Amino acid sequence: MTIEKTFDLAVQNHQKNNFQVAENHYKEVLKINPNHFKSVFLLGSLYAQNNNFDRAKQLLDKAIQINPNFADVHNNLANVLKELKELKKAIACYEKAIKINPNFADAHYNLGNTLKLLDEYKKAKSCYEKAIKINPNFADAYNNLGTVFKKLEESRKAISCYVKAIKIK
């Protein structure tokens, strides 16, 4: 079987949540080409989905070495670092993802979530607002923006955000 066919099977199984089969196919590709970017990236993402954050971190770091200009890798690595409680490193990765793709709504949202964990509510507010500007139907961003407004004791704005989130969902 060709590397392309094996990779396609990995992706198909990954999308169907057949994680073990997908993992095996990604690993087959990586035996042939250890620097196959998409396999490294998606296998790292698969490990993150299955809470194997240490292994995910290793692979996503490698993916960045192979292709440092792919915003999704930085965003996914940041998510892993957040799970590993490496919040400052996570923030730097989200910022790198946003630098590569300023219109990456999920990266703005995720950065906001991490800043919120650090009680940096004004910075988190700005991130959620950017995510909403990029994606006006981002219900979770409205919800979290409402939570930030609540923390900032701006009840009316909080309620307005919650109502928008409910209308979208």
Side-chain angles (χ1 to χ4, degrees), residues 125-162:
K125 174 181 153 295
S126 175
C127 293
Y128 295 135
E129 288 171 340
K130 287 176 187 169
I132 291 165
K133 185 176 181 183
I134 296 163
N135 178 3
N137 293 313
F138 203 150
D140 291 336
Y142 276 111
N143 183 67
N144 288 8
L145 180 58
T147 301
V148 166
F149 278 128
K150 184 178 172 189
K151 292 282 187 184
L152 295 172
E153 299 181 359
E154 297 185 47
S155 299
R156 284 195 175 122
K157 289 181 181 179
I159 291 167
S160 175
C161 288
Y162 293 139

Side-chain angles (χ1 to χ4, degrees), residues 108-123:
H108 287 284
Y109 171 77
N110 291 334
L111 177 57
N113 289 342
T114 306
L115 292 166
K116 188 173 71 156
L117 287 174
L118 295 169
D119 298 332
E120 295 185 30
Y121 300 119
K122 288 183 181 178
K123 290 180 182 178

Side-chain angles (χ1 to χ4, degrees), residues 27-85:
K27 286 180 175 179
E28 282 181 53
V29 171
L30 294 173
K31 282 181 191 171
I32 299 165
N33 179 359
N35 292 319
H36 187 269
F37 172 74
K38 290 180 181 177
S39 292
V40 173
F41 169 60
L42 291 173
L43 183 56
S45 299
L46 182 148
Y47 284 137
Q49 283 177 276
N50 289 288
N51 300 323
N52 187 346
F53 299 116
D54 290 323
R55 188 71 182 116
K57 181 181 173 184
Q58 292 172 348
L59 285 164
L60 294 171
D61 276 333
K62 181 177 180 178
I64 287 170
Q65 290 171 5
I66 297 168
N67 183 358
N69 296 314
F70 190 64
D72 286 29
V73 179
H74 293 278
N75 185 65
N76 286 14
L77 178 58
N79 290 337
V80 166
L81 292 168
K82 187 173 123 187
E83 291 295 330
L84 293 170
K85 309 294 187 229

Side-chain angles (χ1 to χ4, degrees), residues 89-108:
K89 288 181 182 177
I91 288 169
C93 285
Y94 289 130
E95 289 172 343
K96 179 69 175 175
I98 291 165
K99 184 177 180 185
I100 293 167
N101 180 3
N103 292 318
F104 194 170
D106 286 346
H108 287 284

Side-chain angles (χ1 to χ4, degrees), residues 7-27:
F7 175 75
D8 288 344
L9 285 172
V11 172
Q12 289 168 21
N13 281 283
H14 194 163
Q15 290 171 340
K16 294 176 185 174
N17 295 330
N18 297 329
F19 295 127
Q20 189 59 56
V21 175
E23 178 181 353
N24 291 339
H25 286 304
Y26 288 132
K27 286 180 175 179

